[in-house]
Amino acid sequence: GENVEQHPSTLSVQEGDSAVIKCTYSDSASNYFPWYKQELGKRPQLIIDIRSNVGEKKDQRIAVTLNKTAKHFSLHITETQPEDSAVYFCAANNFGNEKLTFGTGTRLTIIP
Amino acid sequence: SQTIHQWPATLVQPVGSPLSLECTVEGTSNPNLYWYRQAAGRGLQLLFYSVGIGQISSEVPQNLSASRPQDRQFILSSKKLLLSDSGFYLCAWSRVAEQFFGPGTRLTVL
């Protein structure tokens, strides 16, 4: 089955700087890679996703890059703000599988 | 648009008591449905998923069970709760690949 590793487990970034979270996956058949943001006490929210037919996707201050050859994908947050503080989870799947495989999460803290 | 509901929002139960958590989805038909548990400060553990009425796949052997009596209803149950069952229980539904989570039930077993 699929295995997703996520790094780092914790990350502190000065407000205004950029943050990068990296994930690797094991199943070369995976073709869908979402990212979730979970604020304290709340549900995980889908913030961006990428499919294997593209290498990069951007939505305002967040972007995701995918390297299928190396089997890794990354979340980039630019111009970080205090409201970006949360736990972020990556995940991987292929469309023929009902289950998402999640990474273990990254706790991002933005330092004012 | 699609909406997912869970209740109750919070629950405090004694060890050995039964459990029933309910999840319903509106605005879609024949969704895949999932139950996850999240221990405090930890990741998402998939407990059960269902691709249709009466079809349940179990991911982790434990004292919990799940049922899907209707297309958009998913129930998580236990006959006797353990202390280790405490956590944040999240229901989710998926359409093709995107998965969306419900608001969760915070369960404390004392």
Side-chain angles (χ1 to χ4, degrees), chain A residues 32 36 38 40-46 49 51 87 89 93 95 97-100 102-105 107, chain B residues 4 32 34 36 38 41-44 46 49 51 59 88 90 94 96-103 106:
Chain A
Y32 173 66
Y36 288 82
Q38 187 178 27
L40 190 62
K42 303 284 184 63
R43 75 183 90 180
Q45 298 266 24
L46 178 65
D49 57 17
R51 286 161 170 79
V87 177
F89 292 97
N93 190 17
F95 291 128
N97 191 339
E98 297 88 5
K99 300 182 294 181
L100 280 176
F102 283 90
T104 49
R107 182 174 300 277
Chain B
I4 180 168
N32 290 339
Y34 308 83
Y36 290 86
Q38 189 174 34
R42 305 299 294 273
L44 299 161
L46 179 62
Y49 70 95
V51 299
E59 289 296 294
F88 192 38
L90 291 155
S94 71
V96 187
E98 296 96 337
Q99 200 167 114
F100 302 96
F101 288 88
R106 192 162 303 281

Side-chain angles (χ1 to χ4, degrees), chain B residues 31-63:
Chain B
N32 290 339
L33 295 173
Y34 308 83
W35 279 112
Y36 290 86
R37 178 169 62 199
Q38 189 174 34
R42 305 299 294 273
L44 299 161
Q45 180 188 30
L46 179 62
L47 302 175
F48 302 94
Y49 70 95
S50 171
V51 299
I53 296 173
Q55 300 179 63
I56 308 294
S57 295
S58 174
E59 289 296 294
V60 183
Q62 58 208 316
N63 67 320

Side-chain angles (χ1 to χ4, degrees), chain A residues 14-76:
Chain A
Q14 206 72 36
E15 182 178 353
D17 288 350
S18 296
V20 180
I21 302 170
K22 299 180 180 179
C23 289
T24 60
Y25 61 98
S26 61
D27 188 351
S28 56
S30 289
N31 51 20
Y32 173 66
F33 307 93
W35 286 88
Y36 288 82
K37 175 184 180 182
Q38 187 178 27
E39 297 177 354
L40 190 62
K42 303 284 184 63
R43 75 183 90 180
Q45 298 266 24
L46 178 65
I47 56 172
I48 194 168
D49 57 17
I50 191 168
R51 286 161 170 79
S52 60
N53 56 343
V54 297
E56 184 174 1
K57 184 176 178 181
K58 192 172 181 180
D59 182 3
Q60 298 182 353
R61 295 187 298 107
I62 61 172
V64 56
T65 58
L66 171 64
N67 184 326
K68 286 217 72 177
T69 303
K71 290 192 280 189
H72 66 71
F73 56 111
S74 300
L75 178 71
H76 305 253

